[in-house]
Amino acid sequence: MRNRTISIVCMLLCLLGISRVAFAQQEDNLLRREYQVAMEEHVQNMIAALSMYSSDIYYENENVLRTRRVKLIRVFFRSEQAKMYDFLKIGVETQDNYLDVMEFLRTIPVVLPRVTFNMSVEEISPYVRLASGEFKLPVKVAITFVDLNTNQERTMPSRVYNVYYWQSENGNFAVSSMDLLREQQQTVVRNEGNASEWIAQGDKYYNAKNYTSALTYYTQAAEAGNPRAATMVGWIYKKGLGVTENAVEAVKWYRMAANGGNASGQVNLGDAYYSGEGVTKDYNEAFKWFMQAAQQGNSTGQSWLAIMYRYGLGVTKDETEAVKWYRKAADQGSDFGQYYLAEMYENGYGVEKNMTEARRWYQKAADQGYEKAIEKLKVLSGTSIGSTSGKTYKEYEKMADEFYGKKNYTEALKYYKLSAPGNDGGVLNRLGYMYSEGVGVDANASEAVKWFRKSAEQGYMIGQYNIGLMYELGKGVGKDVNEAIRWYRKAADQGYQNAKDKLAKLSDAGTTLSKTEIKYYVDKADKYYKEKNFQEALKNYLIAANAGDDYAQNWVGWMYKNAEGVEQNYMESYKWNMKSAESGNAYAMNSLGILFENGQGVDVNFPKAVEWYRKAANAGNVHGQYNLGRMYENGRGVTKSILMAKQWYEKAAAQNSSDAQSSLGTIYYNGEGVTKDYAKAMEWYRKAADQGNMYGEFNIGLLYEFGYGVTKNLDEAAKWYRRAANRGMERAKTKLQELGR
């Protein structure tokens, strides 16, 4: 029975490309030999099935606790009377080489996990066949994995297999072994080929509006594992095409499609959660599925995601993030995304108000026939009705021009005001001029500033110049040369020569930005950043950065790297960090190291990364010290040296770097480069944990679980695992489950 079970397990593992890693105390040579043969035959299957869900796994080899990155595989078992249970969850990989994974797997035993079914013997007796004290239950198996060729998650068709159980002392049942009928690769290919034919037939009948026949073929294709077909089945049930409308049934098929990686299915499932049709309304679930679709480049998913960020549904409200996703949809030609991106520009939501950009995006949406954009453009162009008089804004403007030409400025002013709501910056600037110079009205500098500002905010370069002039002269507003420079720059960027001349003159006069003024903008930016108003923060950091402030330059680089208040741009991040680093900013030096290590804005260059980390570290930057230690520990861009890693970790740890403290704990735990010392490991892990470092918390849990350097205490272990789990660490959650906590 044991040999038969081992063979079956090996076939399961090599077919699915998954493995269960366990803490084992004894070697099982027979299992190792069979597993090694299986892995040698099916290396490609293992690689193809590794999933994209990452967490940490710890395993014991020769009494040394080591770490690997793992990726999760989900395999579910379901009986007719039991709900679905997680069964196998672990596939393993390293960051560097899949072949190393194979070597790693060959060195350790592999065992099936135990899955508990809370069912009585009476409940399952119709399915039980007693055999050698065990019983057998037919169950359905649904296998979910990721195809690395497409990076898409796929679900294999469900099959019924026999699973053997034994009864535990508490009356529950746990898995003992499993009969899995191995499917040959050509069978999968044949099923996929059939699915392609079925979905083609489904499309044919759907286009002919023969929805009943379309549903038949789509259903066959969906059950064979085609996620697009599942989306179509869901859509037919949602709309009641040839069948009774059934939102619950629609959700079932949308979920199958979504889990299979189909972006349209993900959008539709998100929409169901958003509206509460066929499922309980849940904005968090809606956000999750919209995000998955958006990350695949689906423009509808991107637009929905923008809505969620804009109004704070299922996520913290973030208008800057909303603009980012509207833009992604708009760039793909989505008229919906184009219209609402324009609206963000028009109102200054999450982006600086800019009527030129607003008009441009409204026009793009209108060109595709988007009715709301067409109506909006009529208003903005002055061709819609401006009042109960029945005249359009353009007609009012024309009347104003005629009065102005006849030097009847009072009437001109009246009609310019009537035309202003539907006009661009030109009329608004004219009104500002008339109030500034007292044309047709008593001079009023404050009123002039109001109209110049409206014109400038719509992107009209002469209005930008004039508001700058008001700030420079202190007319109608407090004198502020820096604010004047900001507006002059905007006008100059559009090519307005007068603004360029002003900037040159102010620069020659040495009034570009004083140290006090730089501090003013930096403090203002810091305040906005803390409030998460990233767009305003970036605007103020840029003013100081352009004046040569290295602190502001580093922040601008950071915001470009992390897409805060601006589209992500690694090249810009590199540019600003280099400016800052060249001025001696150690944070920027560390940032350059990160860019070179990750190949962001520059080619991957580990030696160059080490060079910048070293400069930051030597300047006393705690992040540079930790990162330099990490490069030594992993031998990246420098000869591997645990002793050098330890040296730099100690420097960073002395500055309270929790990551460095946790890394020092692991060095003492492993005994690499130092004498193994569990007590010392615990000391460093505790320092890290005291700062909320989840790795330190998790590792303390491990020490207590296995009694390394401390008295074994599962309650204490669970306490620390729970802390790490509460910070989102998946491995800690798994540990708690293993401990039954």
Side-chain angles (χ1 to χ4, degrees):
M1 180 67 180
R2 175 171 173 75
N3 289 342
R4 174 171 170 274
T5 300
I6 292 170
S7 298
I8 291 167
V9 172
C10 291
M11 285 191 289
L12 169 62
L13 294 173
C14 66
L15 172 64
L16 304 183
I18 54 182
S19 171
R20 168 67 170 168
V21 181
F23 291 95
Q25 302 301 317
Q26 297 180 353
E27 295 185 355
D28 188 328
N29 293 327
L30 175 60
L31 184 58
R32 283 190 182 184
R33 285 199 300 273
E34 292 199 19
Y35 187 68
Q36 182 171 348
V37 171
M39 293 312 302
E40 287 172 350
E41 292 177 352
H42 298 281
V43 168
Q44 292 305 314
N45 286 353
M46 166 64 85
I47 293 173
L50 287 172
S51 174
M52 56 189 169
Y53 302 101
S54 296
S55 63
D56 292 321
I57 185 168
Y58 296 79
Y59 69 97
E60 188 176 8
N61 186 18
E62 297 177 352
N63 296 321
V64 177
L65 198 67
R66 301 185 185 280
T67 307
R68 280 286 187 271
R69 297 299 300 173
V70 304
K71 294 201 168 186
L72 304 185
I73 297 292
R74 298 201 303 280
V75 179
F76 299 107
F77 283 70
R78 182 181 63 195
S79 76
E80 294 301 319
Q81 295 181 326
K83 64 180 182 179
M84 200 169 275
Y85 292 84
D86 283 352
F87 188 68
L88 293 176
K89 275 196 171 180
I90 300 179
V92 186
E93 75 163 354
T94 65
Q95 294 176 348
D96 302 319
N97 194 327
Y98 284 122
L99 295 179
D100 183 40
V101 178
M102 305 309 140
E103 288 301 320
F104 163 58
L105 291 175
R106 291 172 187 145
T107 64
I108 59 175
V110 179
V111 299
L112 279 170
R114 297 193 181 281
V115 180
T116 300
F117 285 76
N118 293 314
M119 301 168 61
S120 68
V121 174
E122 290 74 19
E123 287 177 310
I124 62 173
S125 59
Y127 302 97
V128 172
R129 183 185 71 185
L130 296 176
S132 303
E134 298 181 336
F135 61 88
K136 181 178 70 175
L137 176 66
V139 297
K140 279 188 177 180
V141 180
I143 302 166
T144 301
F145 66 97
V146 169
D147 182 347
L148 292 190
N149 292 321
T150 61
N151 202 31
Q152 298 297 311
E153 189 175 279
R154 297 179 55 195
T155 300
M156 293 180 65
S158 297
R159 294 288 186 271
V160 176
Y161 302 111
N162 293 324
V163 178
Y164 291 85
Y165 302 89
W166 54 272
Q167 188 168 0
S168 62
E169 292 180 359
N170 62 9
N172 291 330
F173 299 95
V175 171
S176 175
S177 63
M178 172 179 171
D179 283 343
L180 177 62
L181 304 179
R182 181 175 176 182
E183 297 184 62
Q184 298 298 324
Q185 186 175 6
Q186 57 265 32
T187 305
V188 176
V189 173
R190 185 170 63 251
N191 283 342
E192 291 180 347
N194 289 338
S196 298
E197 293 177 10
W198 291 328
I199 199 169
Q201 287 295 317
D203 289 342
K204 173 185 171 183
Y205 283 113
Y206 186 91
N207 293 332
K209 298 186 178 180
N210 184 345
Y211 300 121
T212 302
S213 296
L215 179 61
T216 299
Y217 283 104
Y218 283 143
T219 302
Q220 285 180 294
E223 289 178 343
N226 188 293
R228 177 177 169 266
T231 299
M232 294 304 297
V233 173
W235 178 257
I236 287 172
Y237 277 109
K238 170 75 184 310
K239 294 298 181 181
L241 304 175
V243 294
T244 302
E245 186 177 313
N246 190 330
V248 174
E249 188 70 9
V251 166
K252 182 185 91 172
W253 292 99
Y254 286 153
R255 193 180 305 282
M256 181 185 294
N259 285 329
N262 182 269
S264 296
Q266 290 164 348
V267 169
N268 291 342
L269 183 57
D271 186 30
Y273 276 111
Y274 182 89
S275 62
E277 292 185 47
V279 68
T280 303
K281 181 182 285 192
D282 188 333
Y283 289 136
N284 291 324
E285 277 295 299
F287 176 83
K288 179 184 81 173
W289 291 111
F290 289 146
M291 175 63 82
Q292 289 194 28
Q295 289 176 336
Q296 290 195 62
N298 182 281
S299 62
T300 306
Q302 291 166 345
S303 295
W304 268 113
L305 195 62
I307 291 170
M308 304 299 276
Y309 273 114
R310 181 175 179 179
Y311 298 106
L313 304 174
V315 67
T316 302
K317 182 176 179 177
D318 189 333
E319 291 179 342
T320 301
E321 200 61 14
V323 168
K324 167 186 162 183
W325 288 104
Y326 277 140
R327 191 184 305 281
K328 287 180 182 292
D331 286 341
Q332 291 194 72
S334 165
D335 54 2
F336 183 92
Q338 291 165 347
Y339 177 85
Y340 284 101
L341 178 60
E343 188 174 78
M344 302 299 272
Y345 271 114
E346 181 184 3
N347 295 287
Y349 298 149
V351 67
E352 187 170 354
K353 188 173 182 178
N354 187 326
M355 287 305 297
T356 301
E357 278 295 285
R359 281 190 175 82
R360 182 168 77 87
W361 287 108
Y362 279 137
Q363 188 63 59
K364 285 180 178 289
D367 289 344
Q368 298 191 69
Y370 198 71
E371 287 296 330
K372 289 178 71 174
I374 294 170
E375 292 303 314
K376 174 64 75 171
L377 284 172
K378 285 181 180 179
V379 173
L380 295 180
S381 65
T383 57
S384 62
I385 303 303
S387 72
T388 55
S389 69
K391 295 186 183 299
T392 67
Y393 295 125
K394 274 295 182 187
E395 288 173 332
Y396 280 131
E397 183 184 353
K398 184 178 180 181
M399 292 171 65
D401 287 342
E402 290 174 354
F403 281 118
Y404 196 92
K406 295 175 183 178
K407 297 185 179 180
N408 186 343
Y409 299 124
T410 302
E411 286 298 297
L413 182 72
K414 180 176 77 174
Y415 286 109
Y416 277 137
K417 281 187 173 181
L418 287 172
S419 71
N423 218 295
D424 59 16
V427 166
L428 303 174
N429 181 69
R430 173 64 62 87
L431 283 166
Y433 168 76
M434 294 178 78
Y435 275 106
S436 174
E437 301 302 318
V439 179
V441 68
D442 291 339
N444 186 327
S446 297
E447 192 70 10
V449 166
K450 182 184 83 173
W451 290 105
F452 283 145
R453 190 184 304 281
K454 288 185 176 183
S455 174
E457 287 175 345
Q458 290 202 24
Y460 191 69
M461 65 182 183
I462 300 176
Q464 291 169 339
Y465 173 83
N466 284 330
I467 189 68
L469 187 62
M470 301 298 275
Y471 272 111
E472 182 186 357
L473 301 176
K475 289 182 61 177
V477 68
K479 185 172 182 177
D480 189 334
V481 176
N482 299 309
E483 193 65 9
I485 289 171
R486 186 169 78 86
W487 286 109
Y488 287 149
R489 281 191 180 127
K490 288 180 180 293
D493 288 343
Q494 295 191 64
Y496 194 55
Q497 189 58 49
N498 289 352
K500 294 179 181 178
D501 294 341
K502 275 287 186 183
L503 286 173
K505 181 180 177 182
L506 290 173
S507 179
D508 291 342
T511 58
T512 303
L513 278 185
S514 67
K515 288 183 178 180
T516 301
E517 290 164 341
I518 288 175
K519 184 178 184 303
Y520 165 77
Y521 283 108
V522 166
D523 289 346
K524 196 174 177 183
D526 287 344
K527 174 178 175 292
Y528 279 125
Y529 192 90
K530 288 178 182 177
E531 294 170 354
K532 295 189 176 181
N533 187 343
F534 297 132
Q535 192 255 341
E536 284 298 314
L538 180 62
K539 181 172 74 176
N540 286 279
Y541 278 136
L542 274 168
I543 294 172
N546 281 316
D549 183 72
D550 64 283
Y551 173 86
Q553 289 167 342
N554 175 236
W555 270 109
V556 171
W558 171 268
M559 295 182 80
Y560 270 110
K561 180 179 184 294
N562 294 285
E564 294 179 337
V566 68
E567 284 286 308
Q568 190 172 63
N569 189 323
Y570 292 127
M571 292 289 289
E572 281 293 300
S573 178
Y574 174 78
K575 180 185 82 173
W576 286 106
N577 277 307
M578 182 59 77
K579 286 177 180 286
S580 179
E582 288 174 343
S583 296
N585 188 290
Y587 286 95
M589 295 172 186
N590 178 68
S591 295
L592 285 173
I594 293 171
L595 293 175
F596 276 111
E597 184 179 359
N598 296 325
Q600 296 170 325
V602 291
D603 291 335
V604 172
N605 190 326
F606 293 153
K608 201 74 176 172
V610 168
E611 176 187 331
W612 283 108
Y613 286 146
R614 193 181 303 280
K615 287 181 179 181
N618 286 332
N621 182 270
V622 62
H623 306 295
Q625 291 168 346
Y626 168 73
N627 285 326
L628 184 56
R630 186 171 50 77
M631 299 300 272
Y632 270 112
E633 183 178 14
N634 296 299
R636 282 188 146 191
V638 68
T639 302
K640 182 173 182 176
S641 172
I642 299 299
L643 289 176
M644 289 300 295
K646 176 175 175 290
Q647 173 186 317
W648 287 108
Y649 284 151
E650 286 173 341
K651 288 180 182 291
Q655 296 195 62
N656 290 322
S657 166
S658 65
D659 288 329
Q661 291 165 345
S662 180
S663 295
L664 280 171
T666 300
I667 285 176
Y668 280 105
Y669 189 100
N670 292 336
E672 295 184 64
V674 296
T675 302
K676 182 182 291 190
D677 189 334
Y678 291 133
K680 199 74 174 174
M682 175 66 87
E683 177 186 335
W684 284 112
Y685 286 148
R686 282 195 179 277
K687 287 183 178 182
D690 287 345
Q691 296 192 65
N693 185 287
M694 67 180 181
Y695 295 102
E697 292 168 341
F698 180 82
N699 287 324
I700 291 174
L702 285 173
L703 291 172
Y704 274 113
E705 180 181 358
F706 296 101
Y708 294 143
V710 293
T711 302
K712 185 173 181 177
N713 188 327
L714 296 183
D715 289 335
E716 193 69 10
K719 180 185 84 173
W720 289 101
Y721 286 147
R722 187 166 291 108
R723 291 189 182 185
N726 289 339
R727 300 185 195 281
M729 191 178 189
E730 291 298 326
R731 180 56 183 150
K733 296 175 185 177
T734 302
K735 272 291 185 183
L736 286 170
Q737 292 174 354
E738 291 173 357
L739 294 177
R741 306 304 173 95

